[in-house]
Amino acid sequence: MILIIKERATLKQVEEMLQTLEVYIKIAVDVEKGILAGGGQQHAECEAALLKDGSKQKDIWGADWIPFTQKMAYESIINIRQASK
């Protein structure tokens, strides 16, 4: 389940996003709008949800969030892109 979070996530939303991978959550963040999409098995799924919601691809960055340790990992294939001119 992919959720778009526009305000602080509730415990219920975190639990829903954890359903897929159980110990961490794939997320994509629109750094301009300050919103994120989380859940699913791939960052690209979250990215697609944000694009559908009106985000621009250049503003979206992927990460993994581990709620039990409050740590982030920023390794995501959606972060690899050609530099814009």
Side-chain angles (χ1 to χ4, degrees):
M1 169 183 290
I2 308 291
L3 298 179
I4 294 181
I5 309 293
K6 296 184 178 185
E7 296 179 8
R8 186 178 180 101
T10 65
L11 181 57
K12 181 179 182 214
Q13 289 170 319
V14 171
E15 289 170 350
E16 288 173 355
M17 290 184 289
L18 275 169
Q19 288 177 358
T20 303
L21 299 173
E22 298 180 357
V23 295
Y24 68 99
I25 300 169
K26 297 281 186 180
I27 64 170
V29 178
D30 180 326
V31 295
E32 284 299 312
K33 291 184 176 182
I35 62 174
L36 72 82
Q41 292 193 6
Q42 299 179 350
H43 298 108
E45 295 172 291
C46 299
E47 177 186 41
L50 288 175
L51 290 170
K52 186 176 181 181
D53 191 56
S55 293
K56 296 176 183 170
Q57 202 281 325
K58 70 178 183 68
D59 298 330
I60 300 173
W61 296 88
D64 296 329
W65 181 55
I66 306 162
F68 308 108
T69 62
Q70 298 293 304
K71 294 191 179 190
M72 299 287 294
Y74 299 98
E75 297 87 15
S76 170
I77 196 76
I78 70 169
N79 295 342
I80 300 171
R81 60 186 79 161
Q82 185 176 5
S84 57
K85 295 181 180 185

